[in-house]
Amino acid sequence: MDLRFTSEQERFRAEVRDWLEAHVPSASRGTGPLPSLDTAEGFEAHRAWERVMYDARWSVVSWPEEFGGRGAGLLEWIIFEEEYYRARAPTRVGQNGIFLLAPTVFEFGTPEQKARYLPAMASGEEIWCQGWSEPDAGSDLAAIRSRATLTTGAPGAGTEGDRWVLNGQKTWCSRGAFADWIFGLFRSDPDAERHRGLTYFLVPMDSPGVTVRPIAQLDGETGFAEVFFEDVEVPAGQVLGGVGEGWKVAMATAGSERGLSLRSPARYTEAAARLVELYRRQAEADPGRAGRHADDVARAVIDAEAYRLQTYWTVTRVLDGGGVGPEASMNKLFWSETDLAIQSTALALLGEEAEMLGDDSRPPPWLDGFLFALAGPIYAGTNEIQRNVVAERVLGLPRA
Amino acid sequence: MDLRFTSEQERFRAEVRDWLEAHVPSASRGTGPLPSLDTAEGFEAHRAWERVMYDARWSVVSWPEEFGGRGAGLLEWIIFEEEYYRARAPTRVGQNGIFLLAPTVFEFGTPEQKARYLPAMASGEEIWCQGWSEPDAGSDLAAIRSRATLTTGAPGAGTEGDRWVLNGQKTWCSRGAFADWIFGLFRSDPDAERHRGLTYFLVPMDSPGVTVRPIAQLDGETGFAEVFFEDVEVPAGQVLGGVGEGWKVAMATAGSERGLSLRSPARYTEAAARLVELYRRQAEADPGRAGRHADDVARAVIDAEAYRLQTYWTVTRVLDGGGVGPEASMNKLFWSETDLAIQSTALALLGEEAEMLGDDSRPPPWLDGFLFALAGPIYAGTNEIQRNVVAERVLGLPRA
Amino acid sequence: MHFAFDEDQLEFRAQLRALAEKQCTPADIREAWASPLGWSRPRWAALAEMGVVGITVSEEFGGMGLGLVDAVLLLEEAGRAGLPEPLVETIALGVPVLADAPGQQGSVLRSRWLSAVADGGVRIAVGMSSMPAVPGAEGAELLLLERDGELHAVPAAAVALTPRPALDGSRRLAQVDWEPSPSTLVVSGFEAEEVLAALGDRAAMGVGAVLVGVADRLVAMAAQYAKDRSQFGKPIGSFQAVKHHLADALVRVEFARPMVYRAALSLSEGDRDASLHASMAKAMASDAATLAARTALQVHGAIGYTWEHDLHLWMKRAWALAAAWGDAATHRARVLEILLAKRP
Amino acid sequence: MHFAFDEDQLEFRAQLRALAEKQCTPADIREAWASPLGWSRPRWAALAEMGVVGITVSEEFGGMGLGLVDAVLLLEEAGRAGLPEPLVETIALGVPVLADAPGQQGSVLRSRWLSAVADGGVRIAVGMSSMPAVPGAEGAELLLLERDGELHAVPAAAVALTPRPALDGSRRLAQVDWEPSPSTLVVSGFEAEEVLAALGDRAAMGVGAVLVGVADRLVAMAAQYAKDRSQFGKPIGSFQAVKHHLADALVRVEFARPMVYRAALSLSEGDRDASLHASMAKAMASDAATLAARTALQVHGAIGYTWEHDLHLWMKRAWALAAAWGDAATHRARVLEILLAKRP
């Protein structure tokens, strides 16, 4: 048992840290902080940051070099993430593509698809949003009704081969207001059983027939959108994985979202460290008041650390050739609750100050973090669904 | 709105207090504390105390005078209970009869049954235990399988009229190890739908064919028992309410158990007051350690007080002619969780001392209280069942 | 012992509920959030007309001459309705301070302000020096402001406001710059301590009442949604997880409610345990509302996370008021402190 | 970075598990509870034979010469198996104290006791003056006792014991009367502070390991029961309430586990954050076990409340150990204290 990094890994860490120190947009350098990525202006600023990272080959460190990465291992990825959060670098506007879609493209994509989509994703040239949920398919994702119909040779379009026509509606599409592409599931065989007959499509948001209705979140900004499809034509090459294989393909992606790759522990350990500093400040001003939240502060910090160690534990198993499996649901329960505990405790420490917006009328960092954390137990499979998964697939309890 | 008692009620309180002060078994008077009522010796000592109370007409203050009570109102009953707990008087060994069966007898019993059973119950001459659960009918009480078969004129017994023959098994019969009588439900019509075809019987524990298997609890003592029925003959006069009406009759009793009458708030407010005193003592010895549980102490005390006020609120509604209804399930959730919170917090304050038994190798009061409180969320309808009831009958959510 | 409201009190609440159903729809609340003031002058006038605003003003000055027990039910209803108007400060804080203000200055204050309050022409904001900003300062004609343990009554003309927007669009906080002077002084010294303590207790009770109403509404919205929304072929309210979440939240709301009513009673009767009761009430109400908000959001799922769904109008109120005038932990600490100060 | 056990470590655990399956059935545990000693000498001998008891004793004295990382997995297994033998005190507390005891006295102590420990002939009990009674004092041949900040090694013959029975029938506490003397002194002054602090950290880690094993067993028993027990015509484990209770408990256990392993690693490596890691581990393990006990009892219902069902054998261990060597709140307070002492 060993929790130390190799000297090579420590050199990698130093390199990441140096680069970030020199490049992260910051007030002192006059380059930051970037405007909210849920505004048109902020979205483009974040896209530009992705490009800066990409040019230095930091945007997708774990990808193969041919697609813009460094072929870094899982541990190096974790190190990169630790440094990224420590440096308080911008939220990754490309994360839906990089963390949710890319693993699926690597697993199911054709060589042409990889070449076509991955570098543009890594550079921020093409930002992706997700098209999972529908108004009547939330927790019950398999209830998807958006349709894909096969036509052979689109009329008058002079195209070759099969084309699909998409109709329907997707919702809660994160980054949907400004994204360039959307990935998601459509029902290609209306007669097949619920989980079958779905196909995974990649669709440009500027396709004729695509309409975007931005949805404002709790903070009033448009972090997600509804996306409507009306006779949207898509060539067969934009199917990811086999026709009718969509559920299997999507679950691989959902596994990434719920599991290890998206949820780097650094995010929580950094937030926890800031919580301790907030506690220190508040306790200096009013020890009695702060002290009433001391237990919650410690609890949140400990849980963040537990998430970090559990990640190392899992990473070791993966590196030793094991898999992740339904334990991913335990991770999702744990990080979402830990995040909410950290943020709620911070607001409790702030007391009557917590409700106040900043001079820009935006929620300041802790309030913003709290609002963001509230979504944690809901998205990527509600925590109720995750508890079912844990009970049924880890503990072996019978389905209802 | 008025939370004061009348001067007449205050006089009643003073009378109760004086009497208890003079009679409650106590170490200083050399009469107490009584041995555990889950031992043969303790059971009889508690029975004797019931008799002392009865002789002074304090055992069933809310009953009509003809059955040994004082015809006291609901508020006087609450006052009596407040004083009873304040005086740390013995646990009522007759409580299953007095609080669970008696309300049913008053509502459904014939005049003969009232005269036959109530005074003997009030005096402690006959102690009752309950026969609700069966090994396969716990949360699913309607799954009762114990049978009652009608025979006309028992063979060779020279008796008159109908007799019933009981067969089956009851379990978790509180006080069952030493009780004189048992009340419970038996399936009198095997063909009827689950909730129908049940009949409520009153059975002497010394009937031929009744076998008692005491069950030891967490503390090693036999607070409950399994009761086996093998061709136990019961005359028709020992049916309470109509034949086949058992479910309706039992639910009235269950309502008492879950609702207002058994769970006097005094029990929790007294325990909460003792918790504050424990905190005071522990904080004098080690303020830092005790302080870590200060929030839990306050929480428990506040909840106990909330239970008291909710009871006054409900009592007022009842006195104004209203009913209790499914809110009883909220009460059960609340008192059981409050009790557990009080007792767990006390153990936390005691720290490493908490696990130690007394010189008599019995759990000392707080540990005993904790073990007892653990049963709260389980008996009288598990808290899971109660949450279903609240959701379905108060909030109107659909059944599964 | 009769722990219930009388017919008149219930009738008054029914009237307020009827008014709110007409004049305080979610669309009205959104309009208020988007307005410069954060609330509506016509609605304030309607509330004054009904007697709500002047409920605690004595009849001598044209009010209803009623007490906190009458007011508590209306404040709860205000929370349930999501009324954007800052009623607590005027009804439960400001008016009683003016009513009890001592000496000649007290008489002057009463004649100058109380009739105008009852008429709906004056709103009162209250600010303690410990507060980062004063809620409802904009739009208030009179500010009761504490500094260095003294309480001052300062007309709006004598203060400078720097708006500090809050997450709840109708809570318009402002930093208040002002100078204490002998002419603004209401009470000082030991007497001020008592007045300020009573003010804090009334705030805990009053805000607690609003919170119980808010929590009640949140649970009701979530229960309704759970009946309407289907997944896996049945209403989500038929799933045990949803049922149990909502049952737990409801229980906390139902048990907080009588605590708030009792606090109002104790405060109006000058019970020696009034502070204890007020803190108990606020602790329970804050927690009940926080839990109700959390539960309601989880039951709604993503739709509850949107600006266009109405849930957030109540959630944000719940979060803000749970922290205002002392959060649950603060009041629990005070409860224990009071209990320990009593000798057993 | 390789956060996993090696094959030897896993194999050792498998051996202990096999031994426990044969020699530590619930019936065996009940027999131990009913016995005068509370545990079994033959089983101790078997554990010694296997190398468990002497795992941390150096090879020089006939032990395995292994460290706390090797031991932690066995202690977890001891908890899972419900072993009545007081292993933590000997393996994780006593032996390392003796191994590091300074000076001439240290050499004397090592030669006198360590071989006997490894042979299974000697058990060590540990008592701090802050403890109301010393666990495992009866049956221990050597007691390590703290008084006034000094640590003493006192042979059983030199102490007088007053048994203080505990709820867990194999935790035989006793009050220990003894007199410190120069001949019993192991370490004093500043050096003793360090030794005692390290002792407390190892106790937090070691007891935490047992707790994780206990918690794991409790969840497993409850999950099995939920599959076997039917109500309303289906296994109770198909009800969402039962599923979610158990999922939540499992999550707390699974996330406590690596914390305990890391604490063992940090302690064995003398990491400067070892105290922090030990306290984090104990806080999580205490809470996980308490929650697992609560959940397992609720899932079992009345049957779990009986003496004849095996659940209580583990529940009572969970309650006792959750409080031993500092409860969760104590360790959380220590975590925050350590973090605040670091300058950012």
Side-chain angles (χ1 to χ4, degrees), chain A residues 3 5 13 78 82 264-266 268-270 302-315 334, chain D residues 1 3 255 258-259 262 277:
Chain A
L3 273 163
F5 292 103
R13 181 188 295 279
I78 283 184
E82 286 180 355
S264 120
Y268 308 109
T269 49
E270 273 305 311
I302 293 170
D303 279 358
E305 180 70 2
Y307 184 67
R308 189 172 79 89
L309 284 174
Q310 182 66 246
T311 304
Y312 288 147
W313 187 254
T314 307
V315 164
F334 200 85
Chain D
M1 168 72 62
F3 191 30
F255 280 80
M259 295 289 264
R262 192 268 300 266
H277 297 165

Side-chain angles (χ1 to χ4, degrees), chain B residues 77-256:
Chain B
W77 174 74
I78 283 184
I79 290 170
F80 174 82
E81 291 282 311
E82 286 181 355
E83 294 304 319
Y84 195 84
Y85 280 97
R86 189 193 314 255
R88 307 208 185 166
T91 302
R92 301 292 302 270
V93 68
Q95 67 185 0
N96 286 291
I98 293 170
F99 295 130
L100 305 187
L101 172 57
T104 320
V105 173
F106 279 116
E107 190 170 348
F108 297 96
T110 63
E112 294 71 27
Q113 287 177 324
K114 290 181 191 170
R116 165 63 191 84
Y117 296 115
L118 293 173
M121 186 190 300
S123 68
E125 191 184 329
E126 291 175 351
I127 305 286
W128 290 77
C129 73
Q130 56 176 341
W132 290 149
S133 299
E134 298 182 3
D136 290 320
S139 284
D140 184 11
L141 192 57
I144 282 170
R145 293 197 299 197
S146 291
R147 298 180 318 284
T149 314
L150 188 64
T151 74
T152 305
T159 52
E160 293 171 24
D162 289 348
R163 298 184 71 83
W164 293 85
V165 177
L166 308 183
N167 277 283
Q169 177 182 359
K170 293 290 178 179
T171 193
W172 319 131
C173 308
S174 299
R175 304 286 88 75
F178 308 105
D180 308 298
W181 281 74
I182 184 168
F183 57 91
L185 291 183
F186 291 77
R187 190 162 296 283
S188 51
D189 179 355
D191 300 325
E193 184 264 338
R194 279 163 37 102
H195 292 79
R196 302 179 191 282
L198 295 170
T199 299
Y200 196 123
F201 284 93
L202 310 175
V203 188
M205 296 286 272
D206 62 1
S207 305
V210 170
T211 314
V212 174
R213 187 178 78 84
I215 304 176
Q217 308 174 143
L218 286 186
D219 61 1
E221 292 188 351
T222 52
F224 44 36
E226 257 181 320
V227 180
F228 298 87
F229 298 83
E230 204 183 332
D231 292 332
V232 176
E233 287 198 19
V234 175
Q238 284 164 219
V239 166
L240 185 60
V243 170
E245 298 290 306
W247 185 259
K248 193 183 78 186
V249 175
M251 282 306 103
T253 309
S256 302

